[in-house]
Amino acid sequence: MNNPDKPIDPEREKRKIKSVKRMKDIMTHYYIDAKTTDQTGKKVAWITSGGPVEPLIAMDVIPVYPENHGAMIGAAKMGVDLCEKAEEMGYSSDLCSYARADIACATVNGGPIGGLPRPDMLVCCNNICGTVLKWYEVQARYFKVPLFILDTPFNHTEYTKEAYAYVRAQLNEYIAFLETHCRKQFDFDRLAEVGRLSMAGQRLWQQVLDTAVHRPAPMSAFDAFFHLALIVTLRGTRTVVDYYTELLDEMKTRVATGIAVVPGEKYRLLWDNLPVWFRTRWLSDKFAAHAACLVADTYTSSWCGTLKYLDENDFFGSMAEGYSRVYINIGTDQMAGMVMDMVDKYSADGLVIHSNRSCKPYSLGQYDIQRIVQEKRGIPSLVIEADMTDARNFSESQIDTRIDAFMEVLKS
Amino acid sequence: MQHSKQFQDIFADPKAYARRWKEKTGGKVIGTLCSYAPEELILAGGALGFRIVGGSGSISKADAHLQSYSCSLVRGALEDALNEQLDFLGGAIFPHTCDSIQRLSDIWRMNAETGFHLDVVLPVKLNTQSARNYMAAVMRKARTDLEAVLDKIITDDDLQKAIGTYNGIRSAMKRLYTLRRDRPGTIDGSDVHAIVRASMVMDRNDFLNSLTQVVESLEQQPEPESKTGKRIFFSGGVCNLPDVYSVIESAGGTVVGDDLCTGFRGLTGLIDIGGDPMDAIADRYARRAICPAKHSGITRRGDDLVRLAKETRAQGVIFLFLKFCDPHAFDYPYLKSMLDAEGIPSLLLELEEQIPSEGQFRTRCEAFMEML
Ligand code: SF4
Ligand code: SF4
């Protein structure tokens, strides 16, 4: 916003990512579309962030993401209110704050966009957690709409043929579910096309993230948290491909012209877990003040991490593996391995671990990951106790001190 | 109660029992973390299934691996494993259940020295044909995996025998629960609890024999003075707190039924005999009383709870959850409202490792009893 009392800092202006505006427009249009289906007659499905969205796109169903909504609620600092409301409804304050905020929001149409559009159906994929199963059961009872569950067995040490056969069979059930509730036949050619666009979008997103291997990095994890929304919500559309193409160009230009997102970047850090949505700005400034840039994170890369399992020529068939082997549906030691790959790839000097009270499958095991990375890569790490949406679980003074102390270790 | 002395002894020190069993038989003791563990396969393999329901003391080593927001069961179990409290185990089996147990399995595998480690990644969804097929496939895989680690072929004959034992146990437990429902003075809540806990540890054939004797003698006892306590049904998760029963009883209540994880939930459903044993085992897992970490329709647990509360003519339901238990905490509001709709009052008691403050706990129970 233009504040007349505050002169525009040309340095800061130069570092701003220009695509941000376009991204905001796309998201605004997307939510307008989703909220005006009474005029267009389109159907709305609520789907989990790691869920198989492509068949919905192929069916012209508008996918809506309660988790993305949860992130918006968090960023708008409306999380505490809604979480408290859920607690009044009887939900324990120890449950995932996305779930609490969403469950409460559905009953009052609150939050930054006046609530999500009412779902015609719910699609829940448990590849991220068991929480979404319970959460979607709550919403299925509340909205009295059909619920489809894609059950993707956890991969502790191996991806089994039994699990593959099970998920593959469920994909057929998913199509049948959509045909029933959309009252039309599924078009597999259309899905093949959507699949190609989905993969193209994922590749571009990975390339965008990869630009941060450059020193200084043209973008940080905080930027990735923002630009992530598209690969989550509109994966499988042309819009995503076009947008990330543009964003990638901008990043390449920044690299070519030496624009650093953190001026005087000295330290490169890797972030683990979801963002702290209500404090991203504060955290980003805090690290930048130490000349530290969070060059990558394990969270945003999850939406392009399974490209190697997807097959452009058999997208439908390969979805079984692609959706089963996502980052948090694998063993802690495999996750540690991926963290180390990222440490190497992005030349990280340290690891910042967000121990997220809301997300047990992401957070339990982090101490072991920390230990393994410390042993094998010898880099220091910091654990921040927080939550992605519920600001009651964030102690600013404590975290401030801990970051300072951690940076002292890095600098010495 | 005199009959239940041997169960009380095992319940008081299950580890000592397992050690003795191991010494005596030379067999392997296998730790299990959930009521969905493939018990029949363990028995058919000649091993002793040992259900781990929490820790035995304060937490220190586990803190290096688990955040404070994991439930006391998960933290306590890991503490025991890291503290060599479970050194008698020849292996551990982790059925897939909640997010916390899921990660506990990884952390355990990487850090604990308790023999072999098997993950049995069951389906989360139980009410479709493809889930049943997967359940059966997972059970077959578990059989092969167990054969490898036990170095023993598990024959169909072994399986049929194990199924016979488990069907016997589950039928006898049902009779015990019926007694408790129909003649609440016959047996104390804490005795039933000790029996249930012993069922998770004791040599299963010995257990079946002892249990059958107890049930038969109880059934023959003359009708006791009818107990006037308020009829209470327990609903919830893992509960290794015997004191809960004495608190309820001294507050004027009688426990007439439960759907606890360390209660009746794991003891429901018989295995069909005659067909393929593996399919039959898998089938029972899909049919038995459901855990909140699994899915079988959106009101299955509520329907079951209302039915059981009515069947046991419960005047009130007490929910018992461990703090930080997501699956139960998510179900609580809808279960409560389904009970409300039936005019059945309920009380939620969230438990930490120990009853947080006995006094407060007692006061809440007493207030609830008075209200009924
Ligand atoms: S934050 Fe974690 S627990 Fe919550 S919905 Fe996402 S993956 Fe599940
Ligand atoms: S008590 Fe709840 S959170 Fe703890 S292990 Fe059991 S189901 Fe999981």
Side-chain angles (χ1 to χ4, degrees):
Chain A
M1 300 311 109
N2 283 334
N3 183 342
D5 301 334
K6 216 169 150 195
I8 290 172
D9 172 358
E11 263 304 302
R12 205 170 177 125
E13 278 308 300
K14 195 179 85 183
R15 284 195 308 274
K16 272 194 183 154
I17 294 175
K18 309 294 175 285
S19 306
V20 164
K21 184 172 175 316
R22 177 132 181 258
M23 162 88 186
K24 283 186 176 158
D25 289 345
I26 295 173
M27 287 306 284
T28 305
H29 276 115
Y30 157 68
Y31 273 114
I32 290 174
D33 275 353
K35 293 191 76 158
T36 52
T37 51
D38 46 342
Q39 286 151 43
T40 55
K42 283 199 177 181
K43 289 202 183 299
V44 171
W46 286 16
I47 181 168
T48 52
S49 66
V53 65
E54 292 84 356
L56 292 176
I57 308 257
M59 269 308 218
D60 280 322
V61 175
I62 302 182
V64 164
Y65 292 79
E67 289 155 81
N68 174 254
H69 186 221
M72 296 191 333
I73 290 170
K77 303 192 171 44
M78 298 171 111
V80 173
D81 250 20
L82 288 168
C83 286
E84 280 172 352
K85 169 97 181 69
E87 288 150 30
E88 280 161 30
M89 293 164 70
Y91 293 95
S92 158
S93 60
D94 299 319
L95 293 171
C96 167
S97 53
Y98 276 177
R100 270 180 292 148
D102 179 63
I103 289 169
C105 196
T107 66
V108 292
N109 281 332
I113 58 164
L116 289 178
R118 196 180 191 287
D120 296 295
M121 63 193 94
L122 300 165
V123 178
C124 170
C125 178
N126 59 10
N127 60 356
I128 47 173
C129 61
T131 282
V132 289
L133 171 76
K134 302 310 293 174
W135 172 3
Y136 277 59
E137 286 177 351
V138 170
Q139 298 301 35
R141 286 190 296 265
Y142 181 74
F143 289 109
K144 302 188 172 59
V145 292
L147 164 66
F148 182 78
I149 297 162
L150 186 75
D151 182 10
T152 45
F154 193 81
N155 310 289
H156 285 282
T157 50
E158 53 172 348
Y159 178 61
T160 64
K161 59 179 193 312
E162 290 85 1
Y164 170 77
Y166 175 37
V167 180
R168 185 68 187 75
Q170 290 176 81
L171 287 175
N172 291 339
E173 294 162 17
Y174 183 26
I175 300 303
F177 171 89
L178 291 179
E179 288 184 329
T180 308
H181 298 292
C182 301
R183 288 199 211 90
K184 65 178 178 193
Q185 247 204 325
F186 192 79
D187 180 346
F188 282 92
D189 293 333
R190 178 92 199 278
L191 179 68
E193 182 50 29
V194 173
R196 263 188 287 278
L197 287 169
S198 170
M199 289 179 68
Q202 295 180 52
R203 264 185 227 113
L204 281 161
W205 177 238
Q206 182 71 65
Q207 284 173 278
V208 169
L209 298 176
D210 285 352
T211 60
V213 301
H214 289 278
R215 207 183 269 269
M219 64 177 280
S220 74
F222 295 105
D223 300 307
F225 295 152
F226 176 77
H227 295 276
L228 168 75
L230 281 199
I231 194 70
V232 177
T233 53
L234 291 167
R235 191 165 71 247
T237 65
R238 171 74 54 199
T239 315
V240 173
V241 174
D242 292 346
Y243 177 73
Y244 287 136
T245 306
E246 188 186 296
L247 182 61
L248 180 60
D249 281 347
E250 186 180 349
M251 289 306 138
K252 283 182 172 161
T253 311
R254 285 165 74 94
V255 169
T257 54
I259 300 177
V261 67
V262 171
E265 173 196 301
K266 257 205 190 121
Y267 307 100
R268 299 167 63 84
L269 305 173
L270 183 70
W271 174 273
D272 182 48
N273 211 306
L274 276 75
V276 181
W277 289 114
F278 51 90
R279 275 293 195 288
T280 43
R281 183 65 179 274
W282 182 84
L283 280 164
S284 148
D285 289 348
K286 177 77 202 163
F287 282 106
H290 284 286
C293 178
L294 292 166
V295 289
D297 72 284
T298 55
Y299 178 63
T300 56
S301 53
S302 305
W303 280 269
C304 48
T306 61
L307 267 168
K308 56 178 175 288
Y309 307 122
L310 293 171
D311 177 357
E312 210 154 42
N313 299 314
D314 176 23
F315 184 78
F316 183 59
S318 66
M319 280 170 71
E321 187 162 0
Y323 278 105
S324 295
R325 303 185 77 173
V326 297
Y327 185 66
I328 64 170
N329 207 39
I330 56 175
T332 302
D333 34 0
Q334 289 177 64
M335 285 165 70
M338 288 172 74
V339 170
M340 286 188 287
D341 289 347
M342 292 183 80
V343 166
D344 298 343
K345 178 173 176 183
Y346 295 94
S347 325
D349 308 307
L351 179 61
V352 181
I353 294 174
H354 169 201
S355 166
N356 180 356
R357 227 187 144 80
S358 267
C359 189
K360 297 186 176 80
Y362 213 144
S363 302
L364 303 187
Q366 275 178 324
Y367 294 168
D368 278 86
I369 294 178
Q370 177 183 29
R371 176 183 48 81
I372 294 169
V373 174
Q374 225 143 1
E375 274 167 20
K376 299 207 172 150
R377 289 298 180 273
I379 59 169
S381 53
L382 163 71
V383 175
I384 293 177
E385 298 282 347
D387 185 282
M388 72 245 174
T389 310
D390 190 342
R392 289 171 296 178
N393 296 318
F394 189 90
S395 154
E396 188 170 304
S397 58
Q398 195 185 34
I399 292 171
D400 191 70
T401 319
R402 299 207 58 189
I403 294 176
D404 288 341
F406 172 67
M407 290 311 303
E408 284 315 310
V409 173
L410 259 182
K411 289 173 189 171
S412 65
Chain B
M1 189 193 55
Q2 189 222 332
H3 308 285
S4 58
K5 169 101 178 50
Q6 64 164 315
F7 302 123
Q8 290 285 10
D9 289 346
I10 292 171
F11 172 44
D13 194 351
K15 295 180 180 108
Y17 176 88
R19 282 202 179 89
R20 278 200 308 276
W21 181 92
K22 186 180 156 186
E23 231 160 73
K24 200 173 83 194
T25 64
K28 271 204 162 76
V29 183
I30 302 180
T32 65
L33 267 297
C34 160
S35 68
Y36 284 87
E39 293 253 355
E40 298 82 5
L41 300 183
I42 295 172
L43 176 60
L48 180 71
F50 180 89
R51 175 87 181 271
I52 300 166
V53 294
S56 40
S58 57
I59 305 290
S60 65
K61 289 190 172 162
D63 280 339
H65 302 273
L66 286 167
Q67 284 91 333
S68 57
Y69 45 85
S70 41
C71 74
S72 60
L73 183 149
V74 162
R75 280 150 57 82
L78 185 68
E79 181 71 21
D80 273 9
L82 298 177
N83 248 339
E84 284 148 40
Q85 293 278 317
L86 299 173
D87 55 0
F88 54 88
L89 292 184
I93 295 190
F94 283 77
H96 187 268
T97 147
C98 65
D99 289 339
S100 302
I101 292 274
Q102 171 180 298
R103 283 296 170 214
L104 175 67
S105 170
D106 287 337
I107 295 169
W108 191 293
R109 175 168 51 78
M110 295 189 290
N111 297 286
E113 281 162 19
T114 46
F116 67 77
H117 189 100
L118 277 189
D119 286 300
V120 182
V121 191
L122 304 164
V124 167
K125 200 163 57 169
L126 299 174
N127 56 344
T128 63
Q129 188 56 46
S130 60
R132 284 202 182 195
N133 295 346
Y134 175 64
M135 176 73 90
V138 168
M139 286 292 164
R140 289 202 166 81
K141 185 175 185 306
R143 178 181 184 174
T144 323
D145 288 348
L146 260 180
E147 286 178 336
V149 291
L150 295 174
D151 195 18
K152 176 188 187 306
I153 298 294
I154 299 174
T155 65
D156 277 4
D157 206 40
D158 296 331
L159 275 175
Q160 299 292 7
K161 281 201 195 100
I163 287 174
T165 303
Y166 273 98
N167 276 347
I169 291 175
R170 287 167 191 149
S171 309
M173 285 304 290
K174 189 155 189 223
R175 280 160 67 192
L176 185 72
Y177 267 71
T178 305
L179 268 172
R180 161 199 236 191
R181 181 192 69 196
D182 296 342
R183 295 157 59 183
T186 317
I187 182 164
D188 284 346
S190 52
D191 285 325
V192 176
H193 185 62
I195 294 175
V196 173
R197 292 292 306 281
S199 82
M200 302 169 170
V201 173
M202 200 172 159
D203 180 289
R204 301 306 191 268
N205 289 307
D206 294 349
F207 175 76
L208 175 57
N209 288 335
S210 305
L211 175 67
T212 310
Q213 277 171 27
V214 168
V215 172
E216 274 167 8
S217 93
L218 286 175
E219 282 171 343
Q220 274 149 28
Q221 264 177 31
E223 183 99 21
E225 296 267 311
S226 75
K227 264 212 181 181
T228 48
K230 304 274 166 62
R231 298 175 66 90
I232 298 298
F233 187 90
F234 276 165
S235 176
V238 181
C239 169
N240 57 2
L241 305 156
D243 284 1
V244 174
Y245 292 91
S246 59
V247 171
I248 300 291
E249 275 160 27
S250 66
T254 310
V255 179
V256 290
D258 72 70
D259 68 0
L260 302 177
C261 194
T262 43
F264 202 46
R265 187 172 341 122
L267 295 158
T268 50
L270 297 183
I271 299 170
D272 295 335
I273 38 176
D276 177 89
M278 292 307 293
D279 285 338
I281 290 172
D283 219 47
R284 172 188 167 267
Y285 276 83
R287 274 188 288 113
R288 54 155 271 203
I290 189 171
C291 151
K294 306 245 170 268
H295 175 87
S296 185
I298 55 174
T299 59
R300 167 74 189 273
R301 289 199 67 236
D303 296 338
D304 283 357
L305 176 58
V306 166
R307 180 176 50 76
L308 285 170
K310 284 184 173 167
E311 257 171 41
T312 52
R313 299 185 305 285
Q315 290 163 279
V317 170
I318 296 182
F319 289 101
L320 291 169
F321 309 147
L322 290 184
K323 186 162 171 58
F324 303 117
C325 173
D326 294 349
H328 280 289
F330 265 113
D331 273 357
Y332 166 68
Y334 107 88
L335 295 180
K336 177 180 186 310
S337 73
M338 278 183 80
L339 290 174
D340 287 350
E342 298 288 338
I344 305 169
S346 62
L347 171 73
L348 168 63
L349 296 173
E350 208 180 49
L351 306 166
E352 306 249 12
E353 183 90 16
Q354 305 296 326
I355 294 178
S357 128
E358 261 241 37
Q360 195 202 356
F361 182 79
R362 194 174 291 277
T363 319
R364 293 194 61 196
C365 288
E366 282 166 0
F368 183 63
M369 297 308 163
E370 267 167 37
M371 195 197 84
L372 294 180

